[in-house]
Amino acid sequence: MKRLLVALAALVVAMPGPAQAWGFFAHGVTAKVAMANSSPSVRREVYLLMQHQEQLGTPKCPITTIDELATWADCVRNTRWRWGHTSPWHYRQTPICEDYDPWANCFGGNCVTGQIVRNHRILADESLPAPIRLQALAFMVHFAGDIHMPLHSGDKDDRGGNDRITDYGIVPDLNLHRIWDSQLAERAITTGPLPTIRRYSAAERAELGGGTPPDWGRESWSISRSFVYPTAFDTEDVCATELPMKTALTQEDIVRGVPIAKRRVQQAGLRIAELLESAFAPGPLPPPERD
């Protein structure tokens, strides 16, 4: 029976699907949380911009639904001759054994921190053509999700866990990054007494929201340093030694990680809602955080 379960689990994992950063499902959920917690006027503005999706010239990556809006940035970068330059925009990793600097390795804003700020400013500029603002909207929503995934900010010489072969319970030979991108995030989203996609109370929004992109990146880096790597490698001091290239997450590890992953999804959704509200608010353009 155990062999059968392992084989079935491996088959499911091996099934073809799009390669996504912070999986398709998680990105769609963060965007839906944002819409559920945005004002009617903001939701209207989002859907009005989506009417211009054909003008983006990306027919293989349409934006006709909120899920497609949230994952457009992953879809288009598969056309590398046109969009390959956007790949570094999805992350900005700091080694977990060094001091965190939200702007290191971000020359010209070519990192997730810089691109959230940049696209928020473009979205807020009503003088720009609607397709330009729609592209900025799609990038901003996606990157604000990415920065909340711990391994898009934390790293230990392994490309944010991509190089660490990691078993996920009975499922063998994934990698640590993929697990936090997909399997763990998906389990977290569907766990708990309340649905993840809902209207959150004012108290919940105050607790989970707020901050700036550099703050969000620092939170993710800190989670990588204090939980992701120590849990995966059963050591309290991950900086004291070299880590093996293969490890495993037990069921106990997974259960401990679920509330952390769920909180990051919730935070991402509510903070995207805040970005949308400020981008569509009347008034002067927000100042750039860093030139």
Side-chain angles (χ1 to χ4, degrees), residues 105-187:
N105 304 317
C106 193
F107 180 76
N110 286 299
C111 72
V112 69
T113 320
Q115 288 301 316
I116 295 171
V117 175
R118 170 180 175 267
N119 285 288
H120 178 264
R121 184 172 176 82
I122 292 171
L123 177 61
D125 190 346
E126 295 182 357
S127 70
L128 295 174
I132 299 296
R133 295 179 69 214
L134 173 59
Q135 178 178 298
L137 170 65
F139 274 138
M140 185 192 77
V141 168
H142 185 88
F143 297 147
D146 276 344
I147 202 171
H148 282 81
M149 203 288 265
L151 291 170
H152 281 243
S153 291
D155 169 80
K156 197 174 190 299
D157 301 319
D158 56 8
R159 297 187 304 127
N162 274 292
D163 297 332
R164 307 282 181 181
I165 299 172
T166 307
D167 296 345
Y168 178 73
I170 65 170
V171 182
D173 298 338
L174 303 181
N175 69 64
L176 189 60
H177 189 104
R178 175 177 175 174
I179 288 169
W180 277 84
D181 255 352
S182 300
Q183 284 81 9
L184 188 58
E186 291 165 12
R187 177 165 173 175

Side-chain angles (χ1 to χ4, degrees), residues 32 167 275 278:
K32 289 173 181 173
D167 296 345
L275 288 171
S278 62

Side-chain angles (χ1 to χ4, degrees), residues 220-262:
S220 286
W221 171 84
S222 180
I223 292 169
S224 294
R225 178 186 172 95
S226 64
F227 183 83
V228 176
Y229 283 97
T231 301
F233 295 96
D234 296 318
T235 178
E236 293 184 4
D237 189 355
V238 292
C239 299
T241 183
E242 290 295 321
L243 300 177
M245 298 308 294
K246 190 176 191 315
T247 189
L249 293 181
T250 66
Q251 278 299 322
E252 291 76 12
D253 295 335
I254 294 167
V255 169
R256 290 174 59 215
V258 161
I260 295 173
K262 181 157 190 171

Side-chain angles (χ1 to χ4, degrees), residues 22 33 73 85 89 139 144 189-190 196-197 202 212 223 225 254:
W22 208 13
V33 169
H85 66 284
W89 297 357
F139 274 138
I189 288 166
T190 56
T196 303
I197 303 170
T212 65
I223 292 169
R225 178 186 172 95
I254 294 167

Side-chain angles (χ1 to χ4, degrees), residues 30 33-34 37-38 116 120 140-141 144-145 147-148 205-213 215-220 263-278:
T30 60
V33 169
N37 290 276
S38 296
I116 295 171
H120 178 264
M140 185 192 77
V141 168
I147 202 171
H148 282 81
R205 295 196 299 272
E207 179 196 353
L208 297 168
T212 65
D215 297 328
W216 310 337
R218 184 182 296 276
E219 291 169 355
S220 286
R263 182 179 177 88
R264 294 309 278 167
V265 170
Q266 293 173 314
Q267 288 178 310
L270 294 175
R271 288 163 171 174
I272 291 169
E274 293 170 354
L275 288 171
L276 293 173
E277 293 289 342
S278 62

